[in-house]
Amino acid sequence: DTGVSQDPRHKITKRGQNVTFRCDPISEHNRLYWYRQTLGQGPEFLTYFQNEAQLEKSRLLSDRFSAERPKGSFSTLEIQRTEQGDSAMYLCASSPVPHEQYFGPGTRLTVT
Amino acid sequence: KQEVTQIPAALSVPEGENLVLNCSFTDSAIYNLQWFRQDPGKGLTSLLLIQSSQREQTSGRLNASLDKSSGRSTLYIAASQPGDSATYLCAVMEGGQAGTALIFGKGTTLSVSS
């Protein structure tokens, strides 16, 4: 399978716990994006990497959120001290030139 | 601030109909526009990408057009099938710095009955 993969697919956690999600992009893609999608809404941009460099962060990415992409391969998104408002689908996408983005299946987070 | 609007929010049609989904954006300085399909609880599948210099793209029964000056795109689906039932999302990438965020509309949820 050469598509974007995400793990886990579903995560249920209690408020206040930390969670970490992983994204493996398509291997030759140097750009990697994280988005968040709530019910009935389109995805909203969180952050973007080119290789290992995090080049852009949305205002949605509060101090409780951190993302990394060591060695420019897979990426992780960590949420500390989760809140009920963090419940959403977290989507990862990757792209080559000329910038068509390919999305993974998403990680659905439920904070109870 | 770029805003993307999709009309209608929901659409129900019988099988075999041709249909048009609309997308509008407020700032015409875009780099590209992408149409996606999303099945319930799933990720996004890219359908068509239109670069800012292009007017349309076609893939099978799908045709997407782009009118940058008026800030509009349409997705035309020919001979609709029940398997086309999904939410269709339109997204633009702003110009000036290629490779950054997509800005999405809220989508049009399509239901095709047999």
Side-chain angles (χ1 to χ4, degrees), chain B residues 16-21 47 61-63 75-81 84 88 110 112:
Chain B
E17 275 206 8
N18 302 325
L19 56 101
V20 174
L21 307 182
L47 298 174
R61 294 183 294 108
L62 305 179
N63 176 275
L75 179 67
Y76 175 82
I77 302 177
S80 58
Q81 303 171 357
D84 295 332
Y88 291 81
L110 173 65
V112 181

Side-chain angles (χ1 to χ4, degrees), chain A residues 13 17-21 34-38 44-47 49 54 56-68 75-91 107 109 111:
Chain A
T13 191
Q17 297 294 306
N18 299 343
V19 294
T20 300
F21 310 141
W34 285 98
Y35 293 83
R36 182 174 71 183
Q37 185 179 26
T38 54
E44 295 175 290
F45 170 73
L46 293 178
T47 190
F49 291 84
Q54 188 173 18
E56 190 173 346
K57 292 193 288 187
S58 160
R59 291 175 296 129
L60 293 176
L61 211 67
S62 74
D63 291 345
R64 297 184 298 105
F65 288 70
S66 63
E68 294 182 343
S75 175
T76 58
L77 178 67
E78 180 183 16
I79 309 174
Q80 297 182 328
R81 304 181 303 280
T82 52
E83 303 173 355
Q84 287 188 322
D86 297 331
S87 295
M89 175 79 89
Y90 289 84
L91 294 161
T107 294
L109 173 65
V111 182

Side-chain angles (χ1 to χ4, degrees), chain B residues 24-114:
Chain B
S24 62
F25 46 95
T26 54
D27 187 342
S28 62
I30 65 170
Y31 186 79
N32 63 37
L33 183 145
Q34 207 167 342
W35 282 93
F36 294 89
R37 168 187 173 136
Q38 186 173 34
D39 292 292
K42 306 293 185 182
L44 279 63
T45 300
S46 179
L47 298 174
L48 291 164
L49 171 73
I50 310 178
Q51 300 290 353
S52 62
S53 59
Q54 297 175 320
R55 294 296 299 251
E56 66 177 328
Q57 283 287 336
T58 298
S59 175
R61 294 183 294 108
L62 305 179
N63 176 275
S65 67
L66 174 63
D67 185 342
K68 238 179 52 164
S69 60
S70 67
R72 294 184 181 181
S73 176
T74 61
L75 179 67
Y76 175 82
I77 302 177
S80 58
Q81 303 171 357
D84 295 332
S85 298
T87 296
Y88 291 81
L89 292 157
C90 166
V92 300
M93 179 179 287
E94 294 187 294
Q97 187 177 355
T100 55
L102 287 173
I103 300 169
F104 284 84
K106 293 184 178 181
T108 294
T109 299
L110 173 65
S111 177
V112 181
S113 56
S114 56

